[in-house]
Amino acid sequence: MPRIRTDNPVVINDPQAIRALAHEARLEALEELFASQSSRTATELASRCKLTPSAMSYHLRALEKYGYVERAASEGDARERRWKAAGDRLIVESFNQTPSAKSAFLNVQLGAFRERLAAEIARREAEAKSGIEPPADRAPVLTTGMVFLNDEKRQEFMTRVYDLMKEYEEMAGPEERSVDAKRVYYMLSILPEFDEVEATSGEQPWTRPGLPKR
């Protein structure tokens, strides 16, 4: 049964709250909670973030302070606290404020994805050395490109891409969002070209709010 997204975003526009995201483990935990829309214990999140449960609890309390996460109802063993996302999506709106907070946030996001790319490259190299044939339809590790679009087509392109991601996000049921579920990570950045006049006018590239920022 697909998950129906409600209109309950967590909007972050406080520079201090954004600076609190400048930690890889916190971003990993947030990504897990917002994407799964399920509760997790500190131990479960610690396993994914390669931390001790006590260290993960510390980061979760910090995220709670800024309204990113909240306590969840107990399941089974009530001795360990459960956590959940404070909404169904995360929107960061402070890109016109405090360059240091913005840079720290983006650097952690890009650094985390760079590590995932490096790990995937290493895995494929190890398979090749072992003589394992890759699948014929295996996607490239990273794809970049450029398309020529006027304003109308650019809007259509971005809408269709985000709609496709939303469709697959909402397709998975509770079992497919479990702690042991298979995950596929993506990072998307659509950057229109602006001339110098547009760049200095304060006009911002169109973005569709609501997708978790990684």
Side-chain angles (χ1 to χ4, degrees):
M1 179 178 180
R3 173 174 66 94
I4 304 301
R5 173 177 284 171
T6 61
D7 189 18
N8 181 30
V10 175
V11 181
I12 303 299
N13 50 31
D14 174 21
Q16 286 189 336
I18 293 177
R19 194 174 288 109
L21 291 178
H23 191 290
E24 184 177 340
R26 293 181 184 180
L27 279 179
E28 180 82 15
L30 278 181
E31 186 174 63
E32 177 71 16
L33 293 174
F34 274 91
S36 70
Q37 286 295 293
S38 302
S39 67
R40 300 282 192 260
T41 65
T43 298
E44 290 169 338
L45 292 170
S47 178
R48 296 202 57 79
C49 299
K50 299 178 176 61
L51 295 176
T52 64
S54 60
M56 192 74 251
S57 293
Y58 167 80
H59 289 302
L60 287 166
R61 288 193 297 271
L63 293 172
E64 180 187 32
K65 173 184 175 182
Y66 290 105
Y68 291 110
V69 302
E70 59 190 24
R71 315 296 172 99
S74 298
E75 296 178 10
D77 187 352
R79 291 175 297 178
E80 187 165 14
R81 180 178 298 142
R82 301 192 71 84
W83 298 85
K84 65 179 182 179
D88 60 8
R89 52 203 170 109
L90 178 63
I91 304 173
V92 178
E93 286 193 338
S94 157
F95 286 97
N96 290 327
Q97 305 174 26
T98 55
S100 61
K102 174 187 67 177
S103 296
F105 174 66
L106 290 178
N107 286 339
V108 171
Q109 283 193 324
L110 293 172
F113 206 80
R114 187 182 298 111
E115 289 185 5
R116 288 178 179 143
L117 287 173
E120 177 62 15
I121 291 171
R123 184 180 71 85
R124 294 187 183 194
E125 290 178 347
E127 287 181 352
K129 290 179 180 178
S130 300
I132 299 175
E133 287 290 331
D137 59 349
R138 172 181 274 179
V141 174
L142 178 66
T143 301
T144 63
M146 178 179 66
V147 289
F148 293 87
L149 303 172
N150 59 26
D151 289 345
E152 180 181 356
K153 289 296 183 182
R154 174 165 60 90
Q155 182 86 11
E156 177 186 347
F157 174 68
M158 290 188 286
T159 298
R160 290 178 64 180
V161 169
Y162 283 118
D163 281 345
L164 180 64
M165 291 191 297
K166 180 181 177 182
E167 176 186 349
Y168 277 86
E169 285 176 356
E170 296 180 346
M171 190 180 294
E175 291 185 0
E176 296 168 296
R177 297 174 184 275
S178 69
V179 174
D180 300 322
K182 291 288 186 180
R183 293 157 176 78
V184 174
Y185 296 95
Y186 64 85
M187 174 174 280
L188 176 67
S189 182
I190 299 175
L191 304 175
E193 181 181 43
F194 290 99
D195 60 30
E196 186 175 350
V197 174
E198 291 174 311
T200 58
S201 67
E203 180 182 346
Q204 296 296 315
W206 181 92
T207 59
R208 174 174 175 174
L211 295 173
K213 302 299 189 294
R214 304 188 44 250

